[in-house]
Amino acid sequence: MQESEYSKYMQLVARRKELFVVCALVIMTVVFLVSYLLPRKYESSSTVFIEKNVISDLVKGLTVTPSMDDTINVLTYAITSRTLLTRVVDSMDMNLGREGNEELIKDLQKNLTVKVKEKNNLFTISFVHNDPRIARDLVNTLVRFYIEEKTSSKRGESYDATRFLSEQIQSFNQKLQKAEDEVNSYKRSQGGVISIDEGKLFEEINVAQQKLYDLELRRRQLEGMRQVTRKANDPLQAKLGALQKRLDDLRVQYTDGYPEVVTVKGDIEAVREQMKARGAAEAQPLDPQEMAKIDSEIAALRVTEEGLRRHIAANRATLQRIPEAKAGLAKLEVERENQKKIYDELYSRHGQSEVSKQMEVQDKSTTFRVVDPAVLPTRPASPNRLAIMLLGIAGGVAGSLFLLVMLDQFDASAKDVDFAKSLGAPLLAVVPRMQVSEDVARARRKSQGVFAVAALYFLLLLAFPAMELMGLPYMDRVLDRATQAVSPQLVRGLVR
């Protein structure tokens, strides 16, 4: 702002100082009046401490309790939930005379504030209302209902969990017993197949097979001896036939490089060399008793061979059944172990659930302790009258100055020489304002009277922000009496 403009405004204020002071005081008065006519809002709050019992740390791992983080995360949503606020409204009879609770619930949620301090495990519930008693009672009721609901829900969950685990334990106990019966029944049905050692059974089959080969060799030797004519009773010839039969049997299972095959071939060559060296001897006819003895031995060998074959076949059939039988048993045992594992886990969890239930019943887990209950607020939280009044004082001065400027702008009369020169007409002379001493004295006394009254009135106005600064509730009491005396319709009209 330039110095000329500043001096211009100062001259304007000096010229119309009475109007300036009156307008400023009128604006201040209107602002002060509005600050008291604005609806008063009272805020009441309560602080709750989420306390974790020391027993929770002692039984850690044995019980299942909700974590502190989970409780804090859902705190705001739980407290401002429609269900909880509806209970509070019904309890306080706030819905009397209303057709529905929808607008009331939304209004409560808008004026309800929940502040959480996670580090300190604290949360503060604040509510703003034009009636301080309702603000206090709603906060206390809301805190009480929330704690009761949280406690009862945790107890209900503990009881439900214990009952559910008991039912599941009975169910899985029956399944486990059924699986145990199936395993025992399968063992009885399979006989001794499951307990047989496959390695020993395979070794037993090999031994029986070797015995069978030996018996077959002996029987074939005897059959050869029986079929040979009397001329063929040469021991070397019989030995040669037996070795040749042995060689044929070995070649069925082994190659020519097998050591035993090589040995038998050598024995055959040696017998042939002996036979060539001495020539074949004339055979003598066998004795009938010797023939009968050979026949009897052949028959016994055949019976033994047949028994060995049946034994080998039975063992081989058993050997083939063992893997299937053991696989079936393993499947049933796995099912039984799974059922037993689930049963043991449920039984362990049931014990934890019992301890958790007792902790919830006796309030030994997470508890809520009201550190600072809501009290009746004595001063309104809004409007901030002190700030409004200070702004009103500043606004009164600025508004009055603005009004003087606007009046001066709309005034088309000549105010100074420069304005007259700007009209373009020749300026002949300047006649100064003639001041009569009596008029000047009278104007001075009038101004002094106006300023004295304005000063007293301004001091009176300053008493109101002083009372707000010191927290004196005198004006609130006056307004309460006035509200009780005046009809609600008139009050609402004045507020509008």
Side-chain angles (χ1 to χ4, degrees), residues 85-118:
L85 290 179
T86 302
R87 289 183 57 196
V88 173
V89 168
D90 295 339
S91 175
M92 297 178 61
D93 294 331
M94 296 178 64
N95 56 351
L96 295 179
R98 291 177 177 260
E99 295 180 358
N101 292 341
E102 187 67 23
E103 295 182 0
L104 178 59
I105 296 298
K106 290 182 179 180
D107 185 64
L108 293 180
Q109 291 175 341
K110 182 177 66 175
N111 294 307
L112 192 62
T113 305
V114 180
K115 297 181 180 179
V116 180
K117 298 180 180 180
E118 298 184 9

Side-chain angles (χ1 to χ4, degrees), residues 312-375:
I312 292 173
N315 285 343
R316 284 178 176 174
T318 303
L319 187 63
Q320 293 178 353
R321 288 173 54 197
I322 288 176
E324 182 180 358
K326 288 188 175 181
L329 179 62
K331 182 179 179 180
L332 293 175
E333 287 180 342
V334 168
E335 181 66 22
R336 181 189 62 183
E337 290 301 320
N338 289 337
Q339 300 293 342
K340 187 176 185 302
K341 183 178 180 180
I342 297 176
Y343 175 81
D344 293 341
E345 185 70 18
L346 287 173
Y347 196 82
S348 175
R349 293 295 178 89
H350 183 266
Q352 295 179 356
S353 177
E354 282 290 342
V355 178
S356 301
K357 182 180 70 174
Q358 294 301 324
M359 290 184 64
E360 296 296 343
V361 170
Q362 301 179 19
D363 292 334
K364 298 301 183 182
S365 61
T366 303
T367 56
F368 297 86
R369 184 159 54 89
V370 180
V371 179
D372 187 11
V375 296

Side-chain angles (χ1 to χ4, degrees), residues 151-198:
T151 304
S152 62
S153 64
K154 290 192 296 181
R155 291 178 181 177
E157 290 174 0
S158 298
Y159 277 107
D160 292 341
T162 303
R163 183 172 62 254
F164 173 77
L165 290 175
S166 299
E167 294 173 355
Q168 294 301 311
I169 286 174
Q170 294 178 1
S171 175
F172 276 91
N173 187 23
Q174 295 175 359
K175 293 180 181 180
L176 178 60
Q177 189 63 40
K178 181 180 178 181
E180 189 73 32
D181 294 340
E182 288 178 354
V183 170
N184 295 332
S185 176
Y186 187 82
K187 287 182 178 180
R188 289 192 297 269
S189 65
Q190 294 298 324
V193 177
I194 299 175
S195 60
I196 295 176
D197 188 357
E198 295 181 66

Side-chain angles (χ1 to χ4, degrees), residues 249-299:
D249 294 337
L250 290 174
R251 281 177 173 175
V252 174
Q253 297 183 4
Y254 309 105
T255 62
D256 291 341
Y258 191 69
E260 189 173 354
V261 174
V262 175
T263 302
V264 172
K265 285 183 178 181
D267 294 341
I268 291 174
E269 294 297 329
V271 172
R272 286 178 178 174
E273 291 296 330
Q274 291 179 10
M275 291 178 65
K276 290 179 180 179
R278 71 186 184 113
E282 290 292 333
Q284 298 296 328
L286 293 176
D287 185 36
Q289 293 182 355
E290 189 68 24
M291 288 291 293
K293 184 178 179 182
I294 291 175
D295 291 339
S296 176
E297 188 174 353
I298 289 174

